[in-house]
Amino acid sequence: MSSDLARTQANLIRYGTVQSVTIKPARVRVQVGGLLTAPLPWLAPRAGKSLRQWSPPAVGEQVLVLSPFGDPASGVALCGIFSDAFPAPEGATADNVVMAFGDGAVLLYDQVKHLLQGVLPGGGRVEVSAPGGFLFTGDATLDGNLAVTKNVSVDGDVHSKQTVTGDTDVIAAGISGKGHKHPGVQAGSATTAAPQ
């Protein structure tokens, strides 16, 4: 086998480490042994009309460089190889899918517990824009403060497990639920009429 043919075959598939990343155009330079490649595109799960997925590689990430005809200059980087620098996410098992982000955010689905869990770092925020509306079915528990800037429409009963005591109150249209007074009511044992 000639040395040129051996070199071509050796360059078809090579392990490498990302050395630099550019966003526009989307390219990486990869250290492959003693060779630093030219800027190469990386493979994304989808990059077409119906769906485009974006998750650029990181410096230090291990990749495979696939070089058609053994020419690294025309190669592409295939991402997704765990390494000592970037091991599998903590909590990863055979029964779950985990997306762990660089800032500590984690999105996990556990197929045994049927649990979808999202964890954001301090100061993290979730924003959803749905001009057609947002439908939630099932029971929900909200542990935290809720601010609503527009109307609330309820088709069922509204119950409060919190007794209005101390500093807590229910305020509607600026009127205190526990401290407001009804004018025109005479003190004594009589009761007011039902709300109209």
Side-chain angles (χ1 to χ4, degrees):
M1 180 184 297
S2 71
S3 59
D4 286 345
L5 182 57
R7 186 181 310 109
T8 297
Q9 288 184 339
N11 284 335
L12 287 172
I13 302 175
R14 299 279 302 269
Y15 283 104
T17 304
V18 174
Q19 295 298 306
S20 65
V21 181
T22 58
I23 302 304
K24 290 186 178 180
R27 296 289 186 270
V28 290
R29 298 191 76 185
V30 181
Q31 188 73 45
V32 179
L35 168 72
L36 180 62
T37 68
L40 304 176
W42 66 81
L43 294 178
R46 292 291 303 278
K49 181 179 179 181
S50 62
L51 178 63
R52 287 171 289 166
Q53 293 174 261
W54 175 255
S55 180
V59 171
E61 186 170 346
Q62 191 172 19
V63 297
L64 273 181
V65 175
L66 310 178
S67 303
F69 308 108
D71 179 12
S74 62
V76 294
L78 175 62
C79 306
I81 303 171
F82 294 123
S83 64
D84 291 341
F86 298 106
E90 185 144 346
T93 72
D95 296 313
N96 62 25
V97 177
V98 182
M99 294 177 65
F101 299 89
D103 64 351
V106 177
L107 184 62
L108 177 148
Y109 181 68
D110 189 313
Q111 299 176 82
V112 174
K113 297 177 182 176
H114 312 298
L115 171 68
L116 178 62
Q117 184 180 61
V119 178
L120 298 179
R125 189 171 66 177
V126 176
E127 291 186 8
V128 177
S129 177
F134 182 84
L135 174 65
F136 179 87
T137 59
D139 297 330
T141 300
L142 177 66
D143 183 9
N145 298 319
L146 175 66
V148 179
T149 59
K150 297 204 176 171
N151 300 328
V152 175
S153 176
V154 179
D155 289 335
D157 295 335
V158 176
H159 301 271
S160 174
K161 293 182 180 179
Q162 175 69 41
T163 303
V164 180
T165 59
D167 293 332
T168 61
D169 198 356
V170 176
I171 299 173
I175 299 173
S176 166
K178 71 173 186 174
H180 74 283
K181 297 180 180 179
H182 293 270
V185 178
Q186 194 171 24
S189 60
T191 58
T192 62
Q196 297 186 11

